Amino acid sequence: MSVPHPSPRLSIGLVGFGAFGRLIARHLAPYATLTIHDPYLPAGRVPAEPTAVAGDLRSVAACPVVILATPVASLAEVVQALAPHLRPGTLVVDVGSVKAGPAAILRAGLPAEIEILATHPLFGPQSAGNGAGHGLRGLKIAVCPIRGRRPLRAAAFLRRGLGLDVILTTPEAHDRAMASVQGLTHLIAKVLVAMEPLPTRMTTRSFDLLMQAVDMVRHDAPDVFHAIERANPHAAEVRQRFFALAQQLDAALSAETLDAGPDPLAS
Amino acid sequence: MSVPHPSPRLSIGLVGFGAFGRLIARHLAPYATLTIHDPYLPAGRVPAEPTAVAGDLRSVAACPVVILATPVASLAEVVQALAPHLRPGTLVVDVGSVKAGPAAILRAGLPAEIEILATHPLFGPQSAGNGAGHGLRGLKIAVCPIRGRRPLRAAAFLRRGLGLDVILTTPEAHDRAMASVQGLTHLIAKVLVAMEPLPTRMTTRSFDLLMQAVDMVRHDAPDVFHAIERANPHAAEVRQRFFALAQQLDAALSAETLDAGPDPLAS
């Protein structure tokens, strides 16, 4: 097989088997033996993943690579429970929608000899394909190496092994960008969903694109929305700017005469 | 040539040679001889349309089909100037972004023996291809027959000749749908453009779709925005609903604790 991977049948531990944990398991199964821990997953065989094994936190911690796919809000608790069982040199990876808070939690909560890679795959089950080992090609992932040398090797695997578009960044730069990217998308989607039913037949191409964007995030778990809007330290500022500009536009449109005046938001 | 058209080298008059007028001219040129009137177009040959001729309002009015591609705000004035020169049985077609107001203007301003078709092509220069005679296939057009029998024949030509997806509707139903479809798209686009620069590299697929929607309308003429937000009688209501829900969401997000609570906009 010509696809490069970090080592033959690497052993990877995965904490969390929600929508994103399942996506990770499906795409890593061709490269690694997975041990998965999730409070809702009984020990033994894992549904839909014949090569994976469900186990306790201790058995996951014994793997040389441990991926945390838990909600951002419970990361601190998971790290605290996991830390005593990790072996020196283990690489711990998170996949949350914000990075500054989680990176700080990982740095503070894990012993100095544990290596850390903070990531944010910029896609979800809606945009990734369903095939095992492919379907991720060209999708973007933000990657912040936090501690140690293994994070850079892992980033190389994400690029060359999985074909991901790896964007090397810092937790701070990531959170600033995502406050706009995800903050605005989810905000707009939330409001549009609340306005439904909206037209589906008599539509423009631009409205169709808008609703395609809505459809990609409308089934996201509530904790994803909250991670994006609450756990991101810049989200409130972006939100307030959006609402202020929207109000300004509303006021301009209410005040104007029917004549086409100058652009109400032009600077 | 096997493509059906209403009659060989039909003569069509076109009032208005803005972005949309040019689009119409390009796509009708293979089927008809065009006479175009626009205050900014000197008489004689028409740039980029070798088979079209520029002329005064009287020469346009002499054509058996007259298409009005002027801003909605100046429609009444154009109708008043045109009406005395039209021949009985002429079909007058408009292409504005709202339909109830223009349909009323056409009905009141044109003699009873003039037939009327109110249309709204649900696409613009951004979504239509550039090739002559093709590139419109599958695009949507809302069609409201207002007076006479020729509007239905014209609708059949739009469907079979140009390959458009013809949506037969009423001015009232059209304006209700478009208040959401175009009103929301342009409102959101206006606010997002005012927030630029926004990230372009570290983005999600849903955000990319959102910005594709923005890109399709960001260069629309100011009178398009004003027609959509001001001339549509339902636009203000949709806008107010959008702003009210946005404020409600903002308040919920500001008030909540960091724990993931219930969906703030769920009913």
Side-chain angles (χ1 to χ4, degrees), chain A residues 212-259:
Chain A
Q212 278 174 36
V214 171
D215 287 342
M216 291 188 76
V217 303
R218 69 161 73 225
H219 298 300
D220 279 0
D223 56 76
V224 172
F225 181 70
H226 281 261
I228 289 164
E229 295 293 348
R230 303 297 316 274
N232 188 318
H234 311 287
E237 184 192 320
V238 169
R239 209 160 62 224
Q240 274 144 32
R241 206 156 150 244
F242 181 86
F243 291 132
L245 284 164
Q247 271 174 351
Q248 200 177 317
L249 185 58
D250 186 39
L253 285 167
S254 307
E256 275 172 42
T257 67
L258 262 169
D259 299 325

mmCIF file of all heavy atoms in Angstrom, chain A residues 212-259:
data_model
loop_
_atom_site.group_PDB
_atom_site.id
_atom_site.type_symbol
_atom_site.label_atom_id
_atom_site.label_comp_id
_atom_site.label_asym_id
_atom_site.label_seq_id
_atom_site.Cartn_x
_atom_site.Cartn_y
_atom_site.Cartn_z
ATOM 1 N N GLN A 212 -28.196 26.016 1.684
ATOM 2 C CA GLN A 212 -27.259 24.883 1.725
ATOM 3 C C GLN A 212 -26.321 25.037 2.920
ATOM 4 O O GLN A 212 -26.007 24.061 3.598
ATOM 5 C CB GLN A 212 -26.428 24.811 0.441
ATOM 6 C CG GLN A 212 -27.120 24.129 -0.728
ATOM 7 C CD GLN A 212 -26.284 24.221 -2.005
ATOM 8 O OE1 GLN A 212 -25.056 24.153 -1.965
ATOM 9 N NE2 GLN A 212 -26.941 24.405 -3.128
ATOM 10 N N ALA A 213 -25.878 26.274 3.158
ATOM 11 C CA ALA A 213 -25.029 26.545 4.321
ATOM 12 C C ALA A 213 -25.797 26.213 5.605
ATOM 13 O O ALA A 213 -25.270 25.564 6.515
ATOM 14 C CB ALA A 213 -24.574 28.001 4.324
ATOM 15 N N VAL A 214 -27.058 26.638 5.670
ATOM 16 C CA VAL A 214 -27.903 26.350 6.837
ATOM 17 C C VAL A 214 -28.042 24.840 7.039
ATOM 18 O O VAL A 214 -27.899 24.328 8.151
ATOM 19 C CB VAL A 214 -29.299 26.999 6.673
ATOM 20 C CG1 VAL A 214 -30.249 26.522 7.760
ATOM 21 C CG2 VAL A 214 -29.181 28.521 6.685
ATOM 22 N N ASP A 215 -28.293 24.123 5.933
ATOM 23 C CA ASP A 215 -28.492 22.675 6.029
ATOM 24 C C ASP A 215 -27.266 21.946 6.569
ATOM 25 O O ASP A 215 -27.387 20.887 7.185
ATOM 26 C CB ASP A 215 -28.874 22.101 4.655
ATOM 27 C CG ASP A 215 -30.305 22.479 4.276
ATOM 28 O OD1 ASP A 215 -31.066 22.866 5.184
ATOM 29 O OD2 ASP A 215 -30.654 22.391 3.088
ATOM 30 N N MET A 216 -26.067 22.514 6.328
ATOM 31 C CA MET A 216 -24.847 21.852 6.793
ATOM 32 C C MET A 216 -24.662 21.959 8.298
ATOM 33 O O MET A 216 -23.929 21.165 8.887
ATOM 34 C CB MET A 216 -23.632 22.448 6.076
ATOM 35 C CG MET A 216 -23.612 22.090 4.605
ATOM 36 S SD MET A 216 -22.079 22.590 3.825
ATOM 37 C CE MET A 216 -21.002 21.304 4.450
ATOM 38 N N VAL A 217 -25.289 22.952 8.928
ATOM 39 C CA VAL A 217 -25.063 23.127 10.373
ATOM 40 C C VAL A 217 -26.330 22.944 11.208
ATOM 41 O O VAL A 217 -26.259 22.896 12.430
ATOM 42 C CB VAL A 217 -24.428 24.514 10.694
ATOM 43 C CG1 VAL A 217 -23.107 24.686 9.935
ATOM 44 C CG2 VAL A 217 -25.370 25.651 10.357
ATOM 45 N N ARG A 218 -27.487 22.796 10.546
ATOM 46 C CA ARG A 218 -28.742 22.785 11.313
ATOM 47 C C ARG A 218 -28.856 21.580 12.249
ATOM 48 O O ARG A 218 -29.564 21.650 13.251
ATOM 49 C CB ARG A 218 -29.962 22.859 10.398
ATOM 50 C CG ARG A 218 -30.195 21.612 9.550
ATOM 51 C CD ARG A 218 -31.633 21.566 9.044
ATOM 52 N NE ARG A 218 -31.911 22.513 7.991
ATOM 53 C CZ ARG A 218 -33.013 23.295 7.957
ATOM 54 N NH1 ARG A 218 -33.885 23.241 8.916
ATOM 55 N NH2 ARG A 218 -33.212 24.090 6.946
ATOM 56 N N HIS A 219 -28.157 20.480 11.936
ATOM 57 C CA HIS A 219 -28.270 19.306 12.803
ATOM 58 C C HIS A 219 -27.082 19.161 13.750
ATOM 59 O O HIS A 219 -26.940 18.129 14.407
ATOM 60 C CB HIS A 219 -28.445 18.045 11.954
ATOM 61 C CG HIS A 219 -29.709 18.083 11.130
ATOM 62 N ND1 HIS A 219 -30.960 18.184 11.713
ATOM 63 C CD2 HIS A 219 -29.912 18.068 9.797
ATOM 64 C CE1 HIS A 219 -31.876 18.232 10.757
ATOM 65 N NE2 HIS A 219 -31.272 18.161 9.585
ATOM 66 N N ASP A 220 -26.220 20.178 13.803
ATOM 67 C CA ASP A 220 -25.105 20.138 14.749
ATOM 68 C C ASP A 220 -25.642 20.035 16.179
ATOM 69 O O ASP A 220 -26.684 20.606 16.504
ATOM 70 C CB ASP A 220 -24.247 21.413 14.622
ATOM 71 C CG ASP A 220 -23.274 21.323 13.448
ATOM 72 O OD1 ASP A 220 -23.277 20.291 12.754
ATOM 73 O OD2 ASP A 220 -22.515 22.287 13.230
ATOM 74 N N ALA A 221 -24.920 19.316 17.019
ATOM 75 C CA ALA A 221 -25.333 19.165 18.410
ATOM 76 C C ALA A 221 -25.342 20.537 19.097
ATOM 77 O O ALA A 221 -24.545 21.411 18.749
ATOM 78 C CB ALA A 221 -24.367 18.225 19.121
ATOM 79 N N PRO A 222 -26.245 20.732 20.078
ATOM 80 C CA PRO A 222 -26.321 22.027 20.780
ATOM 81 C C PRO A 222 -24.978 22.441 21.390
ATOM 82 O O PRO A 222 -24.655 23.624 21.415
ATOM 83 C CB PRO A 222 -27.353 21.778 21.885
ATOM 84 C CG PRO A 222 -28.158 20.622 21.422
ATOM 85 C CD PRO A 222 -27.264 19.788 20.543
ATOM 86 N N ASP A 223 -24.169 21.468 21.845
ATOM 87 C CA ASP A 223 -22.895 21.863 22.469
ATOM 88 C C ASP A 223 -21.920 22.439 21.438
ATOM 89 O O ASP A 223 -21.022 23.194 21.790
ATOM 90 C CB ASP A 223 -22.266 20.712 23.254
ATOM 91 C CG ASP A 223 -22.049 19.476 22.405
ATOM 92 O OD1 ASP A 223 -21.100 19.464 21.598
ATOM 93 O OD2 ASP A 223 -22.833 18.529 22.549
ATOM 94 N N VAL A 224 -22.087 22.099 20.150
ATOM 95 C CA VAL A 224 -21.259 22.715 19.101
ATOM 96 C C VAL A 224 -21.597 24.208 19.002
ATOM 97 O O VAL A 224 -20.713 25.067 19.006
ATOM 98 C CB VAL A 224 -21.468 22.019 17.729
ATOM 99 C CG1 VAL A 224 -20.752 22.790 16.618
ATOM 100 C CG2 VAL A 224 -20.968 20.584 17.777
ATOM 101 N N PHE A 225 -22.903 24.508 18.962
ATOM 102 C CA PHE A 225 -23.344 25.908 18.903
ATOM 103 C C PHE A 225 -22.826 26.679 20.112
ATOM 104 O O PHE A 225 -22.320 27.801 19.987
ATOM 105 C CB PHE A 225 -24.872 25.969 18.835
ATOM 106 C CG PHE A 225 -25.414 27.371 18.753
ATOM 107 C CD1 PHE A 225 -25.240 28.136 17.598
ATOM 108 C CD2 PHE A 225 -26.092 27.936 19.822
ATOM 109 C CE1 PHE A 225 -25.731 29.435 17.521
ATOM 110 C CE2 PHE A 225 -26.589 29.240 19.745
ATOM 111 C CZ PHE A 225 -26.414 29.979 18.598
ATOM 112 N N HIS A 226 -22.917 26.060 21.282
ATOM 113 C CA HIS A 226 -22.477 26.758 22.484
ATOM 114 C C HIS A 226 -20.968 26.927 22.546
ATOM 115 O O HIS A 226 -20.482 27.956 22.999
ATOM 116 C CB HIS A 226 -23.031 26.055 23.733
ATOM 117 C CG HIS A 226 -24.458 26.411 23.964
ATOM 118 N ND1 HIS A 226 -24.844 27.369 24.856
ATOM 119 C CD2 HIS A 226 -25.591 25.989 23.367
ATOM 120 C CE1 HIS A 226 -26.161 27.514 24.824
ATOM 121 N NE2 HIS A 226 -26.644 26.676 23.918
ATOM 122 N N ALA A 227 -20.218 25.920 22.050
ATOM 123 C CA ALA A 227 -18.758 26.054 21.991
ATOM 124 C C ALA A 227 -18.395 27.232 21.104
ATOM 125 O O ALA A 227 -17.536 28.052 21.440
ATOM 126 C CB ALA A 227 -18.127 24.769 21.456
ATOM 127 N N ILE A 228 -19.089 27.338 19.974
ATOM 128 C CA ILE A 228 -18.788 28.387 19.004
ATOM 129 C C ILE A 228 -19.157 29.771 19.524
ATOM 130 O O ILE A 228 -18.394 30.723 19.395
ATOM 131 C CB ILE A 228 -19.521 28.081 17.671
ATOM 132 C CG1 ILE A 228 -18.856 26.883 16.985
ATOM 133 C CG2 ILE A 228 -19.556 29.296 16.765
ATOM 134 C CD1 ILE A 228 -19.679 26.255 15.896
ATOM 135 N N GLU A 229 -20.342 29.877 20.121
ATOM 136 C CA GLU A 229 -20.830 31.197 20.523
ATOM 137 C C GLU A 229 -20.397 31.606 21.930
ATOM 138 O O GLU A 229 -20.337 32.791 22.237
ATOM 139 C CB GLU A 229 -22.365 31.252 20.423
ATOM 140 C CG GLU A 229 -22.909 31.120 18.996
ATOM 141 C CD GLU A 229 -22.541 32.320 18.108
ATOM 142 O OE1 GLU A 229 -22.070 33.341 18.609
ATOM 143 O OE2 GLU A 229 -22.728 32.199 16.873
ATOM 144 N N ARG A 230 -20.108 30.635 22.792
ATOM 145 C CA ARG A 230 -19.775 30.986 24.181
ATOM 146 C C ARG A 230 -18.311 30.744 24.523
ATOM 147 O O ARG A 230 -17.685 31.574 25.167
ATOM 148 C CB ARG A 230 -20.668 30.197 25.163
ATOM 149 C CG ARG A 230 -22.170 30.378 24.965
ATOM 150 C CD ARG A 230 -22.606 31.833 25.193
ATOM 151 N NE ARG A 230 -22.003 32.443 26.356
ATOM 152 C CZ ARG A 230 -22.481 32.358 27.585
ATOM 153 N NH1 ARG A 230 -23.596 31.692 27.805
ATOM 154 N NH2 ARG A 230 -21.876 32.945 28.588
ATOM 155 N N ALA A 231 -17.772 29.594 24.110
ATOM 156 C CA ALA A 231 -16.409 29.261 24.516
ATOM 157 C C ALA A 231 -15.365 30.027 23.709
ATOM 158 O O ALA A 231 -14.227 30.171 24.147
ATOM 159 C CB ALA A 231 -16.173 27.757 24.405
ATOM 160 N N ASN A 232 -15.741 30.537 22.540
ATOM 161 C CA ASN A 232 -14.795 31.345 21.749
ATOM 162 C C ASN A 232 -14.778 32.767 22.315
ATOM 163 O O ASN A 232 -15.804 33.450 22.320
ATOM 164 C CB ASN A 232 -15.208 31.371 20.285
ATOM 165 C CG ASN A 232 -14.155 32.038 19.402
ATOM 166 O OD1 ASN A 232 -13.575 33.066 19.761
ATOM 167 N ND2 ASN A 232 -13.896 31.442 18.257
ATOM 168 N N PRO A 233 -13.599 33.227 22.808
ATOM 169 C CA PRO A 233 -13.548 34.532 23.489
ATOM 170 C C PRO A 233 -13.861 35.719 22.577
ATOM 171 O O PRO A 233 -14.131 36.813 23.072
ATOM 172 C CB PRO A 233 -12.105 34.606 24.012
ATOM 173 C CG PRO A 233 -11.330 33.620 23.204
ATOM 174 C CD PRO A 233 -12.292 32.546 22.794
ATOM 175 N N HIS A 234 -13.845 35.525 21.250
ATOM 176 C CA HIS A 234 -14.106 36.632 20.328
ATOM 177 C C HIS A 234 -15.505 36.603 19.729
ATOM 178 O O HIS A 234 -15.886 37.498 18.970
ATOM 179 C CB HIS A 234 -13.068 36.616 19.200
ATOM 180 C CG HIS A 234 -11.663 36.505 19.701
ATOM 181 N ND1 HIS A 234 -11.018 37.561 20.315
ATOM 182 C CD2 HIS A 234 -10.790 35.475 19.732
ATOM 183 C CE1 HIS A 234 -9.800 37.172 20.689
ATOM 184 N NE2 HIS A 234 -9.645 35.907 20.337
ATOM 185 N N ALA A 235 -16.292 35.574 20.055
ATOM 186 C CA ALA A 235 -17.596 35.396 19.414
ATOM 187 C C ALA A 235 -18.563 36.528 19.766
ATOM 188 O O ALA A 235 -19.285 37.030 18.899
ATOM 189 C CB ALA A 235 -18.198 34.048 19.791
ATOM 190 N N ALA A 236 -18.562 36.940 21.026
ATOM 191 C CA ALA A 236 -19.512 37.969 21.452
ATOM 192 C C ALA A 236 -19.278 39.275 20.695
ATOM 193 O O ALA A 236 -20.218 39.949 20.271
ATOM 194 C CB ALA A 236 -19.407 38.190 22.953
ATOM 195 N N GLU A 237 -18.003 39.597 20.487
ATOM 196 C CA GLU A 237 -17.641 40.841 19.783
ATOM 197 C C GLU A 237 -18.131 40.805 18.327
ATOM 198 O O GLU A 237 -18.699 41.786 17.828
ATOM 199 C CB GLU A 237 -16.111 40.962 19.836
ATOM 200 C CG GLU A 237 -15.538 42.226 19.257
ATOM 201 C CD GLU A 237 -14.014 42.087 19.099
ATOM 202 O OE1 GLU A 237 -13.360 41.514 20.010
ATOM 203 O OE2 GLU A 237 -13.502 42.505 18.045
ATOM 204 N N VAL A 238 -17.921 39.669 17.662
ATOM 205 C CA VAL A 238 -18.376 39.516 16.274
ATOM 206 C C VAL A 238 -19.904 39.604 16.203
ATOM 207 O O VAL A 238 -20.472 40.282 15.349
ATOM 208 C CB VAL A 238 -17.890 38.168 15.678
ATOM 209 C CG1 VAL A 238 -18.582 37.873 14.354
ATOM 210 C CG2 VAL A 238 -16.377 38.189 15.496
ATOM 211 N N ARG A 239 -20.547 38.932 17.148
ATOM 212 C CA ARG A 239 -22.014 38.914 17.218
ATOM 213 C C ARG A 239 -22.537 40.344 17.394
ATOM 214 O O ARG A 239 -23.481 40.757 16.722
ATOM 215 C CB ARG A 239 -22.409 38.073 18.424
ATOM 216 C CG ARG A 239 -23.719 37.383 18.302
ATOM 217 C CD ARG A 239 -23.772 36.225 19.280
ATOM 218 N NE ARG A 239 -23.657 36.620 20.669
ATOM 219 C CZ ARG A 239 -22.897 35.990 21.567
ATOM 220 N NH1 ARG A 239 -22.162 34.963 21.212
ATOM 221 N NH2 ARG A 239 -22.868 36.395 22.816
ATOM 222 N N GLN A 240 -21.908 41.082 18.312
ATOM 223 C CA GLN A 240 -22.382 42.443 18.572
ATOM 224 C C GLN A 240 -22.176 43.344 17.366
ATOM 225 O O GLN A 240 -23.025 44.197 17.080
ATOM 226 C CB GLN A 240 -21.689 43.010 19.818
ATOM 227 C CG GLN A 240 -22.440 42.616 21.094
ATOM 228 C CD GLN A 240 -21.518 42.334 22.263
ATOM 229 O OE1 GLN A 240 -20.457 42.934 22.380
ATOM 230 N NE2 GLN A 240 -21.919 41.420 23.127
ATOM 231 N N ARG A 241 -21.099 43.102 16.639
ATOM 232 C CA ARG A 241 -20.845 43.886 15.429
ATOM 233 C C ARG A 241 -21.908 43.564 14.373
ATOM 234 O O ARG A 241 -22.434 44.460 13.708
ATOM 235 C CB ARG A 241 -19.442 43.544 14.896
ATOM 236 C CG ARG A 241 -18.914 44.679 14.129
ATOM 237 C CD ARG A 241 -17.426 44.785 14.011
ATOM 238 N NE ARG A 241 -17.212 45.446 12.718
ATOM 239 C CZ ARG A 241 -16.612 44.891 11.693
ATOM 240 N NH1 ARG A 241 -16.103 43.686 11.789
ATOM 241 N NH2 ARG A 241 -16.522 45.544 10.566
ATOM 242 N N PHE A 242 -22.236 42.281 14.251
ATOM 243 C CA PHE A 242 -23.278 41.866 13.295
ATOM 244 C C PHE A 242 -24.609 42.522 13.656
ATOM 245 O O PHE A 242 -25.280 43.106 12.802
ATOM 246 C CB PHE A 242 -23.406 40.337 13.303
ATOM 247 C CG PHE A 242 -24.442 39.807 12.341
ATOM 248 C CD1 PHE A 242 -24.101 39.557 11.017
ATOM 249 C CD2 PHE A 242 -25.747 39.555 12.741
ATOM 250 C CE1 PHE A 242 -25.038 39.063 10.113
ATOM 251 C CE2 PHE A 242 -26.697 39.071 11.856
ATOM 252 C CZ PHE A 242 -26.333 38.827 10.538
ATOM 253 N N PHE A 243 -24.994 42.451 14.924
ATOM 254 C CA PHE A 243 -26.277 43.009 15.343
ATOM 255 C C PHE A 243 -26.304 44.527 15.202
ATOM 256 O O PHE A 243 -27.315 45.100 14.798
ATOM 257 C CB PHE A 243 -26.602 42.603 16.793
ATOM 258 C CG PHE A 243 -26.894 41.139 16.935
ATOM 259 C CD1 PHE A 243 -26.297 40.378 17.922
ATOM 260 C CD2 PHE A 243 -27.769 40.496 16.063
ATOM 261 C CE1 PHE A 243 -26.561 39.016 18.044
ATOM 262 C CE2 PHE A 243 -28.038 39.145 16.175
ATOM 263 C CZ PHE A 243 -27.434 38.406 17.174
ATOM 264 N N ALA A 244 -25.182 45.183 15.514
ATOM 265 C CA ALA A 244 -25.120 46.645 15.400
ATOM 266 C C ALA A 244 -25.286 47.074 13.945
ATOM 267 O O ALA A 244 -26.054 47.996 13.635
ATOM 268 C CB ALA A 244 -23.794 47.164 15.968
ATOM 269 N N LEU A 245 -24.593 46.390 13.024
ATOM 270 C CA LEU A 245 -24.698 46.719 11.601
ATOM 271 C C LEU A 245 -26.102 46.412 11.079
ATOM 272 O O LEU A 245 -26.645 47.143 10.253
ATOM 273 C CB LEU A 245 -23.649 45.945 10.806
ATOM 274 C CG LEU A 245 -22.216 46.479 10.920
ATOM 275 C CD1 LEU A 245 -21.208 45.454 10.437
ATOM 276 C CD2 LEU A 245 -22.070 47.784 10.138
ATOM 277 N N ALA A 246 -26.685 45.318 11.561
ATOM 278 C CA ALA A 246 -28.037 44.953 11.141
ATOM 279 C C ALA A 246 -29.037 46.019 11.588
ATOM 280 O O ALA A 246 -29.923 46.431 10.826
ATOM 281 C CB ALA A 246 -28.412 43.587 11.712
ATOM 282 N N GLN A 247 -28.879 46.499 12.828
ATOM 283 C CA GLN A 247 -29.770 47.542 13.347
ATOM 284 C C GLN A 247 -29.613 48.846 12.577
ATOM 285 O O GLN A 247 -30.591 49.531 12.279
ATOM 286 C CB GLN A 247 -29.497 47.782 14.831
ATOM 287 C CG GLN A 247 -30.324 46.884 15.731
ATOM 288 C CD GLN A 247 -29.930 47.033 17.187
ATOM 289 O OE1 GLN A 247 -28.939 47.687 17.502
ATOM 290 N NE2 GLN A 247 -30.690 46.400 18.064
ATOM 291 N N GLN A 248 -28.360 49.169 12.265
ATOM 292 C CA GLN A 248 -28.044 50.371 11.498
ATOM 293 C C GLN A 248 -28.720 50.299 10.124
ATOM 294 O O GLN A 248 -29.323 51.271 9.661
ATOM 295 C CB GLN A 248 -26.527 50.402 11.324
ATOM 296 C CG GLN A 248 -25.912 51.732 10.997
ATOM 297 C CD GLN A 248 -24.391 51.586 10.940
ATOM 298 O OE1 GLN A 248 -23.772 50.927 11.796
ATOM 299 N NE2 GLN A 248 -23.767 52.173 9.934
ATOM 300 N N LEU A 249 -28.659 49.135 9.502
ATOM 301 C CA LEU A 249 -29.284 48.924 8.203
ATOM 302 C C LEU A 249 -30.799 49.042 8.314
ATOM 303 O O LEU A 249 -31.456 49.668 7.476
ATOM 304 C CB LEU A 249 -28.888 47.541 7.684
ATOM 305 C CG LEU A 249 -29.348 47.152 6.280
ATOM 306 C CD1 LEU A 249 -28.841 48.141 5.239
ATOM 307 C CD2 LEU A 249 -28.865 45.741 5.939
ATOM 308 N N ASP A 250 -31.358 48.448 9.368
ATOM 309 C CA ASP A 250 -32.797 48.506 9.589
ATOM 310 C C ASP A 250 -33.250 49.946 9.753
ATOM 311 O O ASP A 250 -34.231 50.394 9.150
ATOM 312 C CB ASP A 250 -33.143 47.693 10.847
ATOM 313 C CG ASP A 250 -34.645 47.584 11.059
ATOM 314 O OD1 ASP A 250 -35.371 47.426 10.052
ATOM 315 O OD2 ASP A 250 -35.088 47.652 12.216
ATOM 316 N N ALA A 251 -32.508 50.705 10.563
ATOM 317 C CA ALA A 251 -32.852 52.113 10.799
ATOM 318 C C ALA A 251 -32.789 52.898 9.497
ATOM 319 O O ALA A 251 -33.678 53.702 9.195
ATOM 320 C CB ALA A 251 -31.909 52.715 11.835
ATOM 321 N N ALA A 252 -31.738 52.660 8.703
ATOM 322 C CA ALA A 252 -31.576 53.378 7.433
ATOM 323 C C ALA A 252 -32.723 53.053 6.491
ATOM 324 O O ALA A 252 -33.280 53.941 5.839
ATOM 325 C CB ALA A 252 -30.233 53.019 6.800
ATOM 326 N N LEU A 253 -33.118 51.788 6.439
ATOM 327 C CA LEU A 253 -34.195 51.383 5.534
ATOM 328 C C LEU A 253 -35.544 51.917 5.993
ATOM 329 O O LEU A 253 -36.410 52.225 5.191
ATOM 330 C CB LEU A 253 -34.247 49.853 5.423
ATOM 331 C CG LEU A 253 -33.140 49.245 4.564
ATOM 332 C CD1 LEU A 253 -33.068 47.737 4.766
ATOM 333 C CD2 LEU A 253 -33.361 49.572 3.096
ATOM 334 N N SER A 254 -35.736 52.030 7.310
ATOM 335 C CA SER A 254 -37.005 52.543 7.825
ATOM 336 C C SER A 254 -37.115 54.044 7.615
ATOM 337 O O SER A 254 -38.202 54.583 7.459
ATOM 338 C CB SER A 254 -37.135 52.223 9.324
ATOM 339 O OG SER A 254 -36.938 50.852 9.547
ATOM 340 N N ALA A 255 -35.967 54.750 7.636
ATOM 341 C CA ALA A 255 -35.982 56.207 7.596
ATOM 342 C C ALA A 255 -36.054 56.769 6.177
ATOM 343 O O ALA A 255 -36.637 57.819 5.957
ATOM 344 C CB ALA A 255 -34.736 56.752 8.302
ATOM 345 N N GLU A 256 -35.461 56.033 5.219
ATOM 346 C CA GLU A 256 -35.349 56.565 3.869
ATOM 347 C C GLU A 256 -36.700 56.758 3.188
ATOM 348 O O GLU A 256 -37.658 56.079 3.481
ATOM 349 C CB GLU A 256 -34.533 55.601 3.011
ATOM 350 C CG GLU A 256 -33.066 55.827 3.130
ATOM 351 C CD GLU A 256 -32.324 54.706 2.408
ATOM 352 O OE1 GLU A 256 -32.746 54.326 1.309
ATOM 353 O OE2 GLU A 256 -31.362 54.211 2.996
ATOM 354 N N THR A 257 -36.713 57.643 2.220
ATOM 355 C CA THR A 257 -37.880 57.748 1.368
ATOM 356 C C THR A 257 -37.797 56.630 0.354
ATOM 357 O O THR A 257 -36.824 55.892 0.296
ATOM 358 C CB THR A 257 -37.884 59.089 0.610
ATOM 359 O OG1 THR A 257 -36.794 59.069 -0.306
ATOM 360 C CG2 THR A 257 -37.744 60.248 1.552
ATOM 361 N N LEU A 258 -38.820 56.478 -0.475
ATOM 362 C CA LEU A 258 -38.826 55.386 -1.441
ATOM 363 C C LEU A 258 -37.788 55.562 -2.547
ATOM 364 O O LEU A 258 -37.482 54.636 -3.273
ATOM 365 C CB LEU A 258 -40.215 55.212 -2.052
ATOM 366 C CG LEU A 258 -41.044 54.104 -1.417
ATOM 367 C CD1 LEU A 258 -42.485 54.167 -1.876
ATOM 368 C CD2 LEU A 258 -40.468 52.727 -1.715
ATOM 369 N N ASP A 259 -37.250 56.763 -2.672
ATOM 370 C CA ASP A 259 -36.192 56.967 -3.659
ATOM 371 C C ASP A 259 -34.963 56.168 -3.254
ATOM 372 O O ASP A 259 -34.652 56.061 -2.083
ATOM 373 C CB ASP A 259 -35.800 58.455 -3.745
ATOM 374 C CG ASP A 259 -36.971 59.306 -4.165
ATOM 375 O OD1 ASP A 259 -37.774 58.824 -4.976
ATOM 376 O OD2 ASP A 259 -37.092 60.432 -3.638
#
